[in-house]
């Protein structure tokens, strides 16, 4: 049973527009959520995170929103740039423990 | 060299071969991890080492044998693998097991079992 789900395997967005990547989770014990970005032939790199005590965290063009009641988080990228084309993984952790990952969403930014 | 490195980057092996994957971290971290990433599946945690001691084994078949000789190096010894073991194997490290969500990943080894 997948505890972290990314239901969209791929997403295409025009350059300059907003990209919204979604993630759902089932384990109510998760208290820390992360987004990782992965380019081909490279390992995932940390992008942004959010603690369950917050509902929003912003870092430059990247904002993560957390809706605990819906067990849903999203990553907003605005404006989208060609270099944002990558696979994005959502991950969650409970009490500083191991990470549970989603299957990833491949984002393609169209110039 | 900085960060987390993995060698080899690509490996093709037969089912009767024995090979090893190597991971090295230059971050001064105390915890290291092996993950498996198969197509269209989430990253699967295989093993966790904290201060060179294995603290987690997620029901991984015995044909995968990890080794952590010191806090900077992690190996994954492979023998009599199956074609379904073909995947991307990622190594990661973190400051400590208690902060395992702050993980830094290597580039991975793409393994093909023929």
């Amino acid at each position: 049973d997948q505890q972290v789900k990314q239901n969209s395997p791929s997403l295409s967005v025009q350059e300059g527009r907003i990209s919204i990547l979604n993630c759902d989770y089932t384990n109510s014990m998760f208290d820390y959520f992360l987004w990782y970005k992965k380019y081909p032939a490279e390992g995932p790199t940390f992008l942004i995170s959010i603690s369950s005590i917050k509902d929003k965290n912003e870092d430059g063009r990247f904002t993560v929103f957390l809706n605990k009641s819906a067990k849903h988080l999203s990553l907003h990228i605005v404006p989208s740039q060609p270099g944002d084309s990558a696979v994005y993984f959502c991950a969650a952790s409970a009490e500083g423990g191991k990470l549970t990952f989603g299957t990833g969403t491949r984002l393609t930014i169209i110039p | 060299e900085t960060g987390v490195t993995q060698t080899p980057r690509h490996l093709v092996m037969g089912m009767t071969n024995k090979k090893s994957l190597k991971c090295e971290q230059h971050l001064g971290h105390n915890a290291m991890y092996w993950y498996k990433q198969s197509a269209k599946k989430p990253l699967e945690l295989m093993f966790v080492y904290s201060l060179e001691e294995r603290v987690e084994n997620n029901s991984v078949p015995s044909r995968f044998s990890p080794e952590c000789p010191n806090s900077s190096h992690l190996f994954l010894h492979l023998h009599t693998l199956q074609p379904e073991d073909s995947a991307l194997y990622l190594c990661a490290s973190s400051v400590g097991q208690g902060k395992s969500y702050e993980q830094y990943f290597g580039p991975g080894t793409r393994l093909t079992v023929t």
Side-chain angles (χ1 to χ4, degrees), chain B residues 18-98:
Chain B
K18 288 186 180 181
K19 296 286 184 184
S20 295
L21 310 184
K22 179 182 176 183
C23 174
E24 187 171 357
Q25 58 95 0
H26 309 268
L27 301 168
H29 289 169
N30 290 320
M32 296 186 78
Y33 311 79
W34 277 118
Y35 285 89
K36 176 184 178 182
Q37 187 185 14
S38 304
K40 299 182 181 178
K41 287 188 176 181
L43 273 74
E44 300 170 51
L45 181 64
M46 299 174 72
F47 301 103
V48 181
Y49 274 82
S50 178
L51 297 170
E52 301 144 47
E53 184 178 329
R54 190 190 313 178
V55 296
E56 187 154 347
N57 174 348
N58 270 1
S59 304
V60 179
S62 59
R63 57 185 184 268
F64 295 91
S65 174
E67 179 191 2
C68 188
N70 55 62
S71 59
S72 299
H73 293 86
L74 185 65
F75 294 90
L76 188 63
H77 304 299
L78 316 171
H79 64 98
T80 59
L81 294 192
Q82 305 298 312
E84 61 264 30
D85 296 323
S86 298
L88 180 68
Y89 289 84
L90 290 160
C91 172
S93 69
S94 66
V95 171
Q97 191 198 356

Side-chain angles (χ1 to χ4, degrees), chain A residues 31-57:
Chain A
D31 57 8
Y32 199 79
F33 304 87
L34 308 90
W35 285 95
Y36 279 82
K37 176 179 180 179
K38 185 180 184 303
Y39 291 118
E42 294 183 15
T45 55
F46 170 75
L47 188 59
I48 192 170
S49 63
I50 188 167
S51 164
S52 60
I53 62 173
K54 294 186 174 182
D55 53 19
K56 176 182 174 181
N57 188 25

